[in-house]
Amino acid sequence: MSTRLAAALGAVALLAAVPAGPARAHEGHDHGAAQPPVSKTIAPRGEAFSDAFELVAIPRDGTLTLFLDRFRTNEPVTGATIEVETPEGPRTASATPGGGYTLPAPWLSRHGRHDLVATVTAGDAVDVLPVTVTVPADAGAAIPAEPAAARAALARVSEVARGVRQRLGAGDPILVGAVAVAFLLGVLVTALARGRRGVPTAALIAVGITLVLGTAAFAHGDDDREAPPVQGAALTGTRPAAPSASDLAQRLPDGSVFVPKPTQRLLALRTTVTERDSFHRSVELPGRIIPDPNASGVVQSSVGGRLSPPPSGLFPRLGTRVRKGEVLATVTPPIQAVDVSDMRQTQGDLDQQISIVERRVDRYRRLALTGAVAQTQLDDALAELKGLQDRRTALDRIRREPEPLVAPVDGVVAQAAAVAGQMATPGQMVFQVVDPGRLWVEALSFDALAAAQDATARLADGRTLKLAYQGSGLADRNQAIPVQFAVQGDASGLRVGQFVTVLAGTDTEQAGLALPRAAVVRAGNGQDVVYEHTTAERFEARPVRVEPLDGGRVLVAEGVGPGTRVVTQGAELLDQVR
């Protein structure tokens, strides 16, 4: 009996030293428990998709919430009819203000696997989507009440075991010493048992020392203990309910991004399915906005003089719309002293000649009545008088009337350098009038471009302009060839002299996947990535190599293949999820 008692005491000591806890399966095996969720904040859900639709079913609080989207574009489908075959028969989901659908599902109170069949009718499209929803066992379900003493003992054992694991992992010298003493006591008990002397005494000593050392060791450990059981739970035999899972957008440990459907609606995430095609290789050229030479003009003074406002009294401001022929300013030419002397001498000569001719005309009129002078002589004298008077009037006008500066075309004032009293030199630009609806782009190219190839221009704010080729120069400018394009479509908001990036096509073709520029984002390591829509609520970053295609698209040469769903809108926001 002594040997058996010693063996029992050794087993007790061994059980106290072995960390207690739930049994764990070996790697690659499952003991029947549900697989742990990807994240504790993600509620259970089911997914189904077809070529047309993508469906997500989320059970929560006795209600089945459904989200229906287009498979290719991820656009929410509203106004659809969803009929679900449930364990209680067919039910029709009702639409919610948030763009989803809800269905009362009291059968979700039973945990386990639920196979459903959803029939979707959206316009002319009808599809059947089988979806499976797995409801895990409720953590707050009632369990049989256990005796208070037994629960207290189990709690103490679990606390001791957890403390042993933590302190052994931290290399606590006190606990290591206690383990060594326990080993020596085991050797002593075995020796006494074999000698059949003092077995009860040795057993009592071993148990007492073990309890003392265990209590002292755990008294110095960290206070990482479970909270005492809730009294209500102990009385009713139920465990405290675990906090309910809430869907949060988050980056998972494998690097993928989980974004629930409601968050996708807020971020307006859109996708497209990639397709491989051949495109003309594009080159990026620096360019700037210039006015159309056939719809613009400059206002200059032909003679130097002093600027004065037009008859309206005000110079036109920048951006003022003017009409062709409208007077924008006047220039009064200065008269030098020598010019004034010559003009006065000329005026005196003309006045003298006019006086002589007037007296001759009067004499010819009197003689013409008697027939002494022919009528032709009178007419010649009148013509000579009129010519002298016109010369005299023109000379006076030159001194009094300034030169008017008129608008050459219809448009708006793009530049204005008029100040009252300013002296304008001949050939100086006073105003520039531009038609804002007819603008060109001039780019500098280091390669010869095909005349028939169209081009696009990209502005600093991301807008794009469609361009039509107009011509290229034969003379180099800064070792480059000037190439001019006409802006097609709406040109509002453009300014003359504004810099743009021109993407012009060449004759070289290359194959790849065309994606919007917004689909490519720059990762933290500086690499270009796109986000692949792998499942209904999961996105994965794919490194890619891109090349310019046009103002709004890039060509993905490597990284993703055809038939991949790629985020085209909201990728920048998706990249910020942590």
Side-chain angles (χ1 to χ4, degrees):
M1 293 297 296
S2 300
T3 305
R4 294 180 180 179
L5 180 59
L9 291 175
V12 171
L14 180 62
L15 289 175
V18 175
R24 301 183 182 271
H26 295 289
E27 183 178 0
H29 297 274
D30 188 2
H31 289 168
Q35 292 293 332
V38 177
S39 175
K40 294 182 180 180
T41 61
I42 299 177
R45 62 228 306 121
E47 300 178 1
F49 66 90
S50 64
D51 294 339
F53 301 108
E54 186 175 55
L55 182 68
V56 175
I58 304 175
R60 182 181 287 117
D61 299 332
T63 303
L64 185 66
T65 304
L66 304 173
F67 293 96
L68 184 65
D69 296 324
R70 301 287 180 184
F71 179 77
R72 295 180 64 90
T73 62
N74 201 45
E75 294 179 351
V77 179
T78 58
T81 302
I82 303 179
E83 185 176 349
V84 183
E85 292 289 341
T86 68
E88 298 180 355
R91 296 290 187 272
T92 302
S94 58
T96 61
Y101 302 85
T102 58
L103 179 69
W107 41 269
L108 288 176
S109 59
R110 300 188 300 271
H111 66 84
R113 178 188 177 98
H114 301 279
D115 294 327
L116 310 175
V117 178
T119 303
V120 178
T121 304
D124 298 335
V126 179
D127 210 339
V128 178
L129 301 174
V131 60
T132 299
V133 177
T134 301
V135 179
D138 190 1
I143 59 175
E146 299 175 353
R151 286 201 307 273
L154 290 177
R156 179 59 180 171
V157 172
S158 299
E159 181 181 357
V160 171
R162 186 169 61 257
V164 170
R165 290 198 304 270
Q166 293 178 353
R167 297 185 62 184
L168 283 177
D172 191 345
I174 297 177
L175 185 59
V176 174
V179 172
V181 172
F183 175 75
L184 295 178
L185 287 175
V187 174
L188 177 61
V189 169
T190 303
L192 291 176
R194 289 180 178 179
R196 299 182 181 273
R197 296 189 305 270
V199 173
T201 303
L204 292 176
I205 293 174
V207 172
I209 294 177
T210 303
L211 293 177
V212 171
L213 291 176
T215 304
F218 292 118
H220 294 284
D222 296 336
D223 294 331
D224 186 11
R225 298 180 177 89
E226 293 181 350
V230 181
Q231 294 181 357
L235 293 176
T236 60
T238 60
R239 294 172 182 165
S244 60
S246 60
D247 294 339
L248 299 175
Q250 54 190 287
R251 190 172 293 272
L252 302 179
D254 60 356
S256 61
V257 180
F258 171 79
V259 182
K261 281 299 181 180
T263 307
Q264 294 184 31
R265 308 288 176 87
L266 294 177
L267 300 181
L269 299 182
R270 298 293 181 266
T271 62
T272 187
V273 178
T274 58
E275 298 178 357
R276 181 173 294 275
D277 201 350
S278 297
F279 305 91
H280 288 280
R281 189 179 69 87
S282 299
V283 293
E284 292 188 356
L285 309 175
R288 62 186 182 91
I289 303 295
I290 63 173
D292 185 348
N294 299 316
S296 63
V298 294
V299 179
Q300 297 176 329
S301 174
S302 59
V303 296
R306 192 176 302 278
L307 289 175
S308 301
S312 62
L314 296 175
F315 291 114
R317 303 183 306 273
L318 290 175
T320 303
R321 183 168 291 276
V322 296
R323 306 290 297 177
K324 180 179 180 180
E326 181 179 348
V327 178
L328 307 181
T330 59
V331 177
T332 303
I335 301 177
Q336 304 295 333
V338 61
D339 296 334
V340 172
S341 176
D342 293 341
M343 292 177 63
R344 289 178 178 176
Q345 181 179 358
T346 305
Q347 288 177 351
D349 294 341
L350 291 175
D351 292 341
Q352 182 180 4
Q353 293 179 14
I354 290 173
S355 178
I356 294 174
V357 174
E358 285 179 348
R359 289 195 298 269
R360 185 190 307 168
V361 169
D362 292 340
R363 187 171 60 253
Y364 283 173
R365 284 176 178 173
R366 290 193 301 268
L367 294 175
L369 295 176
T370 61
V373 176
Q375 185 63 32
T376 57
Q377 292 180 341
L378 177 60
D379 295 338
D380 293 341
L382 290 173
E384 183 180 358
L385 177 61
K386 186 177 182 307
L388 292 173
Q389 291 175 346
D390 291 342
R391 290 174 60 188
R392 183 67 175 82
T393 303
L395 186 61
D396 294 338
R397 188 183 301 114
I398 291 175
R399 296 186 59 183
R400 294 194 306 266
E401 292 185 2
E403 177 190 8
L405 302 181
V406 299
V409 295
D410 296 338
V412 297
V413 178
Q415 296 187 38
V419 179
Q422 177 184 359
M423 294 298 296
T425 59
Q428 177 185 355
M429 184 185 68
V430 182
F431 296 98
Q432 183 183 22
V433 180
V434 175
D435 186 352
R438 299 175 60 180
L439 297 175
W440 284 15
V441 173
E442 184 179 66
L444 297 179
S445 173
F446 295 93
D447 298 324
L449 298 179
Q453 295 297 333
D454 293 334
T456 56
R458 187 175 70 249
L459 304 178
D461 58 0
R463 288 192 302 158
T464 59
L465 304 173
K466 186 178 180 180
L467 306 179
Y469 178 83
Q470 297 297 316
S472 59
L474 297 178
D476 289 352
R477 183 188 304 172
N478 298 328
Q479 304 299 321
I481 304 173
V483 186
Q484 293 182 343
F485 304 88
V487 177
Q488 302 292 315
D490 185 17
S492 59
L494 299 180
R495 306 184 309 274
V496 175
Q498 183 178 0
F499 290 100
V500 297
T501 300
V502 178
L503 291 100
T506 63
D507 294 333
T508 305
E509 290 189 356
Q510 55 184 354
L513 310 175
L515 289 177
R517 289 183 175 270
V520 182
V521 296
R522 186 65 58 88
N525 58 358
Q527 191 173 21
D528 293 330
V529 299
V530 298
Y531 277 91
E532 179 184 356
H533 196 183
T534 55
T535 61
E537 297 177 311
R538 183 173 293 192
F539 303 84
E540 297 184 10
R542 305 296 188 194
V544 294
R545 180 172 61 86
V546 298
E547 298 178 1
L549 184 57
D550 53 37
R553 300 180 301 170
V554 295
L555 187 69
V556 179
E558 293 181 2
V560 295
T564 304
R565 285 196 300 171
V566 176
V567 178
T568 58
Q569 179 179 323
E572 192 70 30
L573 299 175
L574 192 62
D575 190 56
Q576 302 301 321
V577 177
R578 295 293 181 265

